[in-house]
Amino acid sequence: MTHARFVGMTDEEVGKYWDGNADAWTTLSRAGYDVYRDLMNTPAFLLMLPDVSGRLGLDVGCGEGTNTRQVAERGAKMMAVDVSPRFVAHAIEAERREPRGIEYGVASGQALPFANASFDFVTSFMCMMDLPDPATALSEIRRVLRPGGFFQFSITHPCFNTPHRKNLRDESGKTYAIEVGKYYDGTDGRVDRWIFGAAPASERERFEKFAVPFFHRTLSDWINIIVDAGLTIERVGEPQVSEELARQRPEMQDTRVVAYFLHVRCRKGRT
């Protein structure tokens, strides 16, 4: 079976973009402005995560380390890598201030510097969709997993984060639909520019917008990449905020219209 490869932009080039984003991203996210992560996406991911207490895990694409730390707080011994040296520096700084026993390093998810069968589990929070060649990354992750180990990851939802996407709002500003299109158009490293909308204007004006390489793959692409890597899907999630939270944080009401994120847990066979 073959799978689609998107290799117009190299992993090294992607890493340079994220390195350029790292300082502003870390400052703004740690100030609480990444609300979709903090109030919905990461809590849902952790709710789906199996018991990891006493197990050795790897976090791929750890960024500034907030999510890695939350997994470590569940009793796991964690190692973590990111392609951006600046992000890793921020993660190490947080570890020095409040140790969680996490070992961080600079590495690509497409070339993991670990021996075969090194980890009981692997996580990846909102990273895999940013890789030029996720098929290679999935193969690497399977390689470093021990038999019976699992890999859980989150990505932007491929059905609703398409090359054409528009948030449709009524007169009151409430989202009533998300317009999507060009679903079958392979997008290979288009650079989108945005910044956390929850940050006040005074904070947004302090920083350049993030420059984020965008790769689009269909849902069937993702399923086939997982299958081709030799992993078995065992759980899927599409988080949304509760009605109560949507009332408290109206800017997040749109997550109740379509799924913005896709969570997948898959497992390596025992033989």
Side-chain angles (χ1 to χ4, degrees):
M1 184 180 293
T2 60
H3 46 67
R5 288 182 178 268
F6 298 77
V7 291
M9 184 181 287
T10 68
D11 199 34
E12 182 180 17
E13 290 170 328
V14 170
K16 289 179 180 178
Y17 279 106
W18 282 107
D19 216 44
N21 297 331
D23 291 346
W25 189 290
T26 299
T27 298
L28 292 171
S29 66
R30 289 183 179 176
Y33 299 130
D34 192 353
V35 294
Y36 288 88
R37 179 193 73 176
D38 294 340
L39 299 181
M40 182 186 70
N41 202 18
T42 296
F45 187 101
L46 295 174
L47 187 63
M48 196 171 99
L49 192 71
D51 180 16
V52 295
S53 180
R55 298 185 179 184
L56 178 60
L58 172 67
D59 192 23
V60 174
C62 63
E64 43 77 41
T66 292
N67 291 322
T68 317
R69 294 170 67 80
Q70 293 193 57
V71 178
E73 288 166 3
R74 292 179 160 228
K77 168 62 178 175
M78 293 300 296
M79 302 182 73
V81 296
D82 197 279
V83 73
S84 161
R86 289 297 304 159
F87 265 134
V88 170
H90 287 298
I92 290 173
E93 182 267 337
E95 175 66 18
R96 287 173 178 164
R97 283 189 287 106
E98 297 183 24
R100 296 291 185 273
I102 304 169
E103 298 179 31
Y104 292 100
V106 178
S108 166
Q110 296 176 189
L112 296 173
F114 304 105
N116 295 351
S118 293
F119 299 97
D120 298 311
F121 70 96
V122 177
T123 57
S124 183
F125 295 77
M126 300 303 292
C127 166
M128 298 300 292
M129 73 283 184
D130 294 328
L131 299 178
D133 188 0
T136 294
L138 263 291
S139 294
E140 277 289 274
I141 287 164
R142 184 187 185 281
R143 179 183 65 78
V144 302
L145 273 173
R146 291 170 180 159
F150 73 85
F151 172 45
Q152 185 169 310
F153 67 97
S154 57
I155 56 174
T156 52
H157 202 299
C159 297
F160 303 108
N161 190 41
T162 52
H164 170 79
R165 181 180 179 280
K166 185 177 181 181
N167 194 324
L168 303 181
R169 304 178 189 271
D170 62 22
E171 294 179 354
S172 70
K174 186 176 181 179
T175 298
Y176 64 88
I178 301 294
E179 179 181 287
V180 297
K182 298 186 177 180
Y183 176 71
Y184 294 104
D185 291 3
T187 302
D188 186 13
R190 180 186 80 192
V191 178
D192 292 339
R193 297 184 183 274
W194 52 274
I195 200 163
F196 297 131
S202 60
E203 287 294 289
R204 296 197 302 268
E205 290 168 0
R206 291 178 54 205
F207 302 99
E208 295 288 334
K209 290 183 177 180
F210 309 134
V212 179
F214 173 70
F215 301 87
H216 174 63
R217 305 165 185 92
T218 66
L219 181 60
S220 59
D221 284 334
W222 279 107
I223 293 172
N224 289 331
I225 287 169
I226 294 167
V227 171
D228 289 351
L231 297 168
T232 301
I233 296 173
E234 66 178 22
R235 197 75 177 171
V236 175
E238 296 174 299
Q240 61 172 318
V241 300
S242 66
E243 291 184 9
E244 179 181 0
L245 184 55
R247 285 193 296 269
Q248 295 172 357
R249 301 299 298 258
E251 72 273 26
M252 301 185 71
Q253 169 267 331
D254 53 357
T255 70
R256 295 185 58 79
V257 177
V258 300
Y260 281 178
F261 306 109
L262 178 66
H263 296 178
V264 180
R265 186 171 74 238
C266 43
R267 195 169 293 272
K268 179 176 179 177
R270 295 188 178 276
T271 57

